[in-house]
Each structure stands twice: as C-alpha cells, then as structure tokens.
Amino acid sequence: MSKEIKRIGVLTSGGDASGMNAAIRAIVRYSLYKKLEVIGFYEGYKGLISNDYTVLTGNSVGGIIDRGGTFLFTARSEDFKTKEGLATAKKNLEADNIDALVVIGGDGSFRGARDLTCLGVNAVGIPATIDNDIYGTDYSLGFDTSLNVIISLISKIRDTASSHERIFVIEVMGRNSGELAIRSSLAGGADYVLIPEIKVDLVKISNAIKNHREGKRHTLVIVAEGAAKATDVAASIKLLVEHEVRVSVLGHIQRGGSPSAMDRVLAAQFAQKAVDFLLGGGTNAMIGIQNNIITTMPFEEVLSKKKEIDRNLFELSHILAL
Ligand code: F6P
C-alpha cells in the first residue's frame, strides 16, 4: 500500500519493557517534526480492536522518558489473533485515517503487525522485550535496563550469601532464551549459568561446586526460566553438594524501573528510523541494530529465523568465575 503518510498510529504490545515510553515520546516528537499527526492506541491490539485511542501531542509525552512500563499500557490480545479481530483492526485504522502503524513489542506483536500488512496496512516494528530473543537485532528495548536491575540484585544476594556461606540459585526471566541469563551471569560475576540452549548437567555442576568451594563463601548459580525451575535445581544441588542452598526467583522486578541510558538512546534511534522508513514508502519490517548500525529487516525474515546465543559469552562467564 503506497500512499502519502500523514497520520500514524502507535501501540505497545506484549510484555512491557523499559524504554517503551522513551520510544513513544521519540516517535511522537520526531513525527511532529516531520509534520505528521500521531495517535496512540491503548493496551496494544486490544485498543486497536475497540478503537480506544488518544491523540498524542508533544506535551502529552512530556516527562515519560525516564519512566518504566508503558503509558499507553499493554496487553496480550487473543481476539486480535482471529480473522474477525484483524478485520476490525483494519477497519478502525481506515476509519481513523491512519496511514501507518508503529508496533512496539516482541516477536508475537510483530506476527500481528505482519498479519495486518497482509491486509494492506502499512506497519513497522520496534523491538522491545527484556528477553532480547528477536532475530535481526542485537538489542531490544528493555534488555539493558533489565540486565542492570538483575546485576544490582545479584550484588545484594552475594552480600548475604557470603555472610552465611551459602549457595544461591537465582532464577531470571527470558522465556525460551538464555540471553538475559548469560549476560547477567557474566556482568554479575556468577559462578554458573544454566540456559535452555545448552544441555544442563547438574551432576557435573554439583561436582564442580564441591571441588571449588574451599575458600569460597558464596556460590551463585543463575538459572534461565526456560532452562529449569530454580527450586528443582536447588534441590538437586543440595542433595549432591550437601550444603545449604537458597533460592531467589527474581520475577517481574526484572521488567520494571527507569530505562538505562542505552535503552533511551536506542529508543530514539529506532523511532527516527521507523518514521523515516514509513515516510520513504517502507512497510512490513522491523527496525533493529546490528553491529552498531540501525537496520530494517522484513517481518517474514525476523519471524522465520531463530536468534542464536553468544556461546563465547556463556563460556567466558564460567572461565572468569573459576
Ligand atoms: O517476554 C517477557 C517476559 O517477561 C518473559 O521473560 C516472561 O517469561 C514473560 O514475559 C512473563 O509474562 P507475564 O508478564 O505475562 O507473566
């Protein structure tokens, strides 16, 4: 669909991620600079189906750059996945005179955006998920902030672990990806990291913990939620190492907090590229960053390929811990 872009819609969808607000602000202000109007749909695709929106002005996005979460709210809409839901969304976009849609979210949200483009809607995606599991971008908004939250929590756990000479198993999010776990482990100075992409050998890990405990007052094991349950890992280690083990499941704390400088800068860069891409007639693609260059990649490619973890970082985390 190639028509002049005058009015764009923006929404945030799926799990929230710090930096979403910074991205909304940048989209609105850069669009206004380019003489475009912007409207924001509430609660992601749910708001698109119920046509729940607000006109976004430069002032309306003031004071949100440093806020976590998303002031447009978010949801995981089941209705949108139906034929009827998609058709209603398209009808609403036409009725609201919206020429293009910017979707801020993860791969599930991009599947929705891709489906809309199949109906002739112009759409572009901005990656935002703490999981950093999207093919076609080295970083997603929220990942860096989440990492910083996690490493500050790991430090606190280390304080108490060391005081009590305990082993701690710390469960981090990431869905089916070990990205968040690997980098938390490396940056947090943990001893072991368990990720879904690499087979877990708890006997080997327990033997290593046993052998290396001498002179060590704390042992920190990071478990990606997609690899195993922290409680199960802790029970096995306790049995095999015969030492006190405590569990800490970090949970949704990892998703909150003021976005890091990196996430705010990235949000601005992604937003600028998204608007320029649409104005240049682009559609049906995700904005990303690869080797420090802001890129675009067709949704189809993003959705059909799997992002690989960095095995070197996984190994390095263990090398540096021992
Ligand atoms: O995708 C982000 C994420 O935080 C995952 O890491 C986690 O598995 C999931 O969302 C949790 O989803 P919910 O907030 O719906 O419990």
Side-chain angles (χ1 to χ4, degrees):
M1 185 167 80
S2 138
K3 63 173 176 178
E4 202 192 341
I5 309 285
K6 291 192 192 129
R7 197 167 202 236
I8 63 172
V10 58
L11 59 81
T12 48
S13 162
D16 65 326
S18 290
M20 281 180 159
N21 280 327
I24 297 165
R25 170 185 178 271
I27 284 161
V28 172
R29 298 217 172 145
Y30 190 68
S31 297
L32 293 175
Y33 166 72
K34 290 282 179 180
K35 310 271 182 269
L36 304 176
E37 282 179 353
V38 189
I39 72 157
F41 287 98
Y42 288 114
E43 291 189 275
Y45 291 118
K46 193 174 159 198
L48 189 53
I49 292 177
S50 58
N51 212 15
D52 184 13
Y53 70 82
T54 182
V55 174
L56 295 169
T57 61
N59 276 346
S60 69
V61 292
I64 65 167
I65 192 169
D66 57 352
R67 277 171 51 195
T70 159
F71 97 120
L72 285 177
F73 312 126
T74 186
R76 305 189 200 272
S77 169
E78 286 306 314
D79 288 347
F80 183 69
K81 291 180 185 156
T82 64
K83 237 177 162 179
E84 296 74 29
L86 270 171
T88 308
K90 187 192 175 203
K91 199 178 79 205
N92 288 342
L93 285 167
E94 279 171 358
D96 299 336
N97 289 318
I98 292 168
D99 307 308
L101 186 67
V102 182
V103 173
I104 306 170
D107 53 359
S109 309
F110 299 156
R111 216 157 271 129
R114 187 267 325 268
D115 293 348
L116 276 175
T117 64
C118 293
L119 299 181
V121 172
N122 288 320
V124 64
I126 289 184
T129 164
I130 65 162
D131 302 338
N132 203 30
D133 58 349
I134 306 173
Y135 184 83
T137 187
D138 296 340
Y139 294 102
S140 303
L141 299 180
F143 178 60
D144 184 63
T145 303
S146 180
L147 271 180
N148 282 298
V149 170
I150 294 170
I151 61 167
S152 88
L153 296 170
I154 290 176
S155 291
K156 292 177 171 74
I157 290 171
R158 183 185 284 104
D159 290 344
T160 177
S162 196
S163 303
H164 285 265
E165 205 186 0
R166 279 174 175 158
I167 298 168
F168 261 84
V169 178
I170 304 165
E171 187 177 305
V172 299
M173 280 184 167
R175 208 176 282 273
N176 302 314
S177 166
E179 273 275 305
L180 205 51
I182 293 174
R183 285 174 198 253
S184 320
S185 171
L186 186 58
D191 299 277
Y192 302 94
V193 53
L194 276 55
I195 56 168
E197 293 86 349
I198 294 179
K199 203 175 172 312
V200 178
D201 187 343
L202 273 181
V203 175
K204 200 171 143 198
I205 288 177
S206 298
N207 283 336
I209 292 175
K210 229 175 181 170
N211 294 336
H212 289 102
R213 275 206 67 77
E214 212 168 309
K216 212 169 185 178
R217 291 201 52 95
H218 60 259
T219 298
L220 305 181
V221 181
I222 306 289
V223 182
E225 64 174 347
K229 272 196 167 317
T231 42
D232 295 344
V233 173
S236 303
I237 293 177
K238 188 172 182 204
L239 203 71
L240 295 162
V241 180
E242 294 170 333
H243 193 93
E244 220 174 342
V245 184
R246 289 288 190 272
V247 171
S248 194
V249 179
L250 301 187
H252 287 77
I253 293 169
Q254 297 162 89
R255 246 174 38 197
S258 181
S260 65
M262 175 173 161
D263 276 329
R264 297 182 200 189
V265 171
L266 207 53
Q269 290 176 295
F270 282 169
Q272 179 183 40
K273 184 77 171 183
V275 174
D276 284 342
F277 180 68
L278 290 170
L279 285 174
T283 180
N284 200 4
M286 180 191 79
I287 309 299
I289 182 164
Q290 293 181 63
N291 301 322
N292 242 359
I293 294 170
I294 305 296
T295 54
T296 58
M297 183 181 278
F299 280 140
E300 217 45 67
E301 190 175 351
V302 171
L303 296 172
S304 61
K305 294 187 176 164
K306 192 175 156 38
K307 184 170 186 173
E308 297 294 330
I309 48 135
D310 187 333
R311 281 182 182 253
N312 178 53
L313 292 188
F314 175 81
E315 278 152 26
L316 192 56
S317 176
H318 291 107
I319 291 169
L320 300 184
L322 299 177

